[in-house]
Amino acid sequence: MSYTAGEVAAKLGLSKDGLRYYEKEGLIPPIARDKSGHRAYSESDVDWIFLIRCLRDTDMPIFKIKQYVSLAMESGDNSIIERRKMLKEHEAVLDEKIKTFQKLQKLIEKKVEFFDDTLKADDQEAIRCMDYIEEWEKFKVFLGGFKRD
């Protein structure tokens, strides 16, 4: 079975321009053409583009994806070893980003909780007059101290 560019784009949440960009940048192998000269994507092409999209969506730089693609076009154990190494390095980067986002999410949750408590306060006029420095100082007290690391 083959797919048109529009079908692949819809299936993977890309635009047709995005598909052409991937092809132009050498991120996907050359795509076969049908009798009319239109791109005819195979199931393997779709799977490959899905992987490339996954790498992009997780912020792997284009130059690294190009390295990965270049290695994938080679055969042999060395290619697999190198691609595995690249993915493990990327996985470690993602783990750090996830930890950072989890910490930031907790800070945001606490800030919302602080606002909820502040809005319940009796002295609404004092709240209206609070500037951002005073707010931040009260928030640090609310947290019981604040560490940026």
Side-chain angles (χ1 to χ4, degrees):
M1 173 168 201
S2 67
Y3 301 94
T4 66
E7 290 170 331
V8 173
K11 190 173 191 164
L12 298 177
L14 286 169
S15 66
K16 290 197 288 187
D17 287 339
L19 282 174
R20 283 191 287 277
Y21 173 77
Y22 283 3
E23 191 173 355
K24 184 184 99 184
E25 289 297 316
L27 301 178
I28 56 178
I31 303 300
R33 303 280 179 154
D34 64 16
K35 294 174 191 169
S36 303
H38 297 102
R39 289 172 179 83
Y41 294 85
S42 70
E43 197 66 47
S44 293
D45 294 330
V46 174
D47 292 341
W48 181 258
I49 296 165
F50 177 78
L51 172 64
I52 299 305
R53 178 73 194 264
C54 172
L55 296 175
R56 264 318 287 143
D57 286 349
T58 57
D59 294 332
M60 181 181 272
I62 294 288
F63 81 92
K64 288 239 182 217
I65 297 173
K66 285 181 180 181
Q67 289 173 347
Y68 185 90
V69 169
S70 178
L71 286 167
M73 297 302 164
E74 296 175 11
S75 58
D77 292 346
N78 190 49
S79 171
I80 292 171
I81 291 167
E82 287 300 313
R83 284 183 285 154
R84 181 189 182 283
K85 180 181 172 192
M86 287 182 76
L87 291 177
K88 288 301 289 180
E89 288 170 356
H90 187 60
E91 183 179 37
V93 168
L94 291 177
D95 286 342
E96 284 304 310
K97 285 184 179 186
I98 289 168
K99 287 176 189 170
T100 298
F101 277 120
Q102 287 172 334
K103 287 178 186 176
L104 294 172
Q105 181 181 26
K106 285 183 180 170
L107 179 66
I108 289 169
E109 287 171 358
K110 284 296 195 182
K111 189 70 171 176
V112 169
E113 186 180 333
F114 168 77
F115 285 143
D116 289 345
D117 284 359
T118 301
L119 292 170
K120 292 176 192 171
D122 292 333
D123 190 358
Q124 290 299 308
E125 184 59 33
I127 292 169
R128 277 190 219 58
C129 296
M130 189 182 333
D131 65 12
Y132 75 94
I133 294 171
E134 184 180 355
E135 176 191 311
W136 188 250
E137 292 304 318
K138 289 183 181 213
F139 180 57
K140 288 192 300 188
V141 170
F142 177 81
L143 289 175
F146 177 71
K147 296 178 183 160
R148 283 185 213 99
D149 52 349

